[in-house]
Amino acid sequence: MRIVLVGPPGAGKGTQAAFLAKNLSIPHISTGDLFRANISQGTELGKRAKAFISEGNLVPDEVTIGMAHDRMTQPDAANGFLLDGFPRNVSQAEALDELLKSDSQKLDAVLDLEVPEDEVVERIAGRRICRNDSSHVFHVTYSKPKVEGVCDVCGGELYTRGDDKEETVRKRLDVYHRETEPIIDHYKAQGLVVTISALGKVDEVTKRAMEALKGDK
Ligand code: AP5
Ligand code: MG
């Protein structure tokens, strides 16, 4: 399956993607995680992306689309992928349509995670991620690590993302409404959108998502 996950910052895209990707045996491709890995490795791409991310702005399309396409065309993604955080504006969605068409592929579903704004603010305020791999995500109340400050998966140090400061989160939410929400209509026109509530426990949301995706096949 080829799936796009969409939803505001803090909706639980990364959290759900980890479980959905495992259940569906497809790789989880997060452009945010790819950028953070590039930043921590000090690559040229990471240096270009850093200022945009820390301000809560989108990284320019000419950097993002190539990076996402490189990852989508790796051998482990030959039979499908779960995109998290890409596409994030209509021009990225149009570019993805073209890239898939030229590879004779198509999307199966766009899973839209709906969460009220006060809930995402609380989720982001308590989020801690792993220094070794930003796809290892915890929450101080809702998804506690076994040992405080230590990643359950790899033992790495947990920290608060630089762009999780309150004023940057507000900016990211504005950018989401202005730039990213319009992709939902873009995909509704293709009959691909499945909307679910992302409220409730993590495993309840995963179950809801799996049922919605199955119903969509
Ligand atoms: P990115 O890393 O994609 O950030 P985002 O979209 O803002 O989303 P988040 O990662 O903040 O939230 P999430 O939905 O993954 O929630 P999570 O699972 O962590 O992008 C970062 C930046 O990179 C962008 O601002 C931009 O600058 C750049 N970028 C990335 N892609 C780009 C693109 N395509 N184009 C241009 N620029 C791009 O969950 C949040 C918290 O809630 C966690 O603590 C979790 O434990 C907790 N939680 C999860 N589910 C539940 C639940 N059911 N109940 C209670 N708590 C829960
Ligand atoms: Mg994420």
Side-chain angles (χ1 to χ4, degrees):
M1 278 186 106
R2 292 183 179 84
I3 303 165
V4 167
L5 257 186
V6 65
K13 300 182 295 297
T15 301
Q16 290 305 323
F19 294 105
L20 297 175
K22 203 169 161 203
N23 284 349
L24 297 165
S25 305
I26 49 177
H28 166 206
I29 300 179
S30 155
T31 40
D33 288 339
L34 291 172
F35 284 132
R36 283 184 288 276
N38 273 279
I39 291 170
S40 67
Q41 288 155 18
T43 67
E44 281 309 309
L45 192 149
K47 284 178 197 154
R48 283 198 66 188
K50 194 172 178 179
F52 295 99
I53 293 178
S54 53
E55 295 285 315
N57 287 315
L58 296 189
V59 179
D61 289 351
E62 75 257 24
V63 180
T64 307
I65 294 168
M67 178 185 77
H69 190 228
D70 278 353
R71 180 63 190 88
M72 283 159 46
T73 48
Q74 298 294 311
D76 67 335
N79 295 320
F81 45 69
L82 181 57
L83 294 178
D84 158 10
F86 180 85
R88 221 179 177 95
N89 59 26
V90 171
S91 69
Q92 291 181 13
E94 288 168 350
L96 178 63
D97 288 347
E98 285 306 310
L99 290 168
L100 290 172
K101 205 162 121 194
S102 64
D103 292 338
S104 304
Q105 296 174 350
K106 60 177 189 55
L107 291 176
D108 295 289
V110 173
L111 184 65
D112 170 27
L113 300 184
E114 241 178 22
V115 199
E117 203 132 307
D118 52 352
E119 175 77 14
V120 302
V121 169
E122 195 184 340
R123 288 185 184 184
I124 289 181
R127 172 166 53 192
R128 301 292 181 270
I129 63 163
C130 176
R131 190 74 71 193
N132 295 338
D133 183 336
S134 71
S135 72
H136 303 162
V137 181
F138 300 86
H139 190 282
V140 291
T141 311
Y142 304 123
S143 189
K144 283 186 180 180
K146 291 193 186 87
V147 179
E148 197 188 321
V150 180
C151 176
D152 286 357
V153 184
C154 69
E157 180 201 356
L158 298 183
Y159 75 107
T160 301
R161 261 168 57 177
D163 60 344
D164 280 353
K165 288 195 291 282
E166 199 187 325
E167 69 269 25
T168 318
V169 171
R170 227 174 286 127
K171 176 75 177 290
R172 283 161 55 206
L173 281 164
D174 286 347
V175 170
Y176 176 76
H177 294 310
R178 196 176 59 244
E179 305 253 353
T180 309
E181 260 177 357
I183 74 169
I184 297 175
D185 279 340
H186 173 90
Y187 286 124
K188 273 188 179 161
Q190 300 180 20
L192 290 172
V193 177
V194 191
T195 301
I196 62 161
S197 163
L199 282 176
K201 289 191 184 138
V202 170
D203 58 344
E204 289 167 359
V205 180
T206 310
K207 194 162 166 255
R208 215 175 283 148
M210 285 302 293
E211 275 162 12
L213 290 172
K214 260 189 240 150
D216 192 63
K217 264 205 274 188

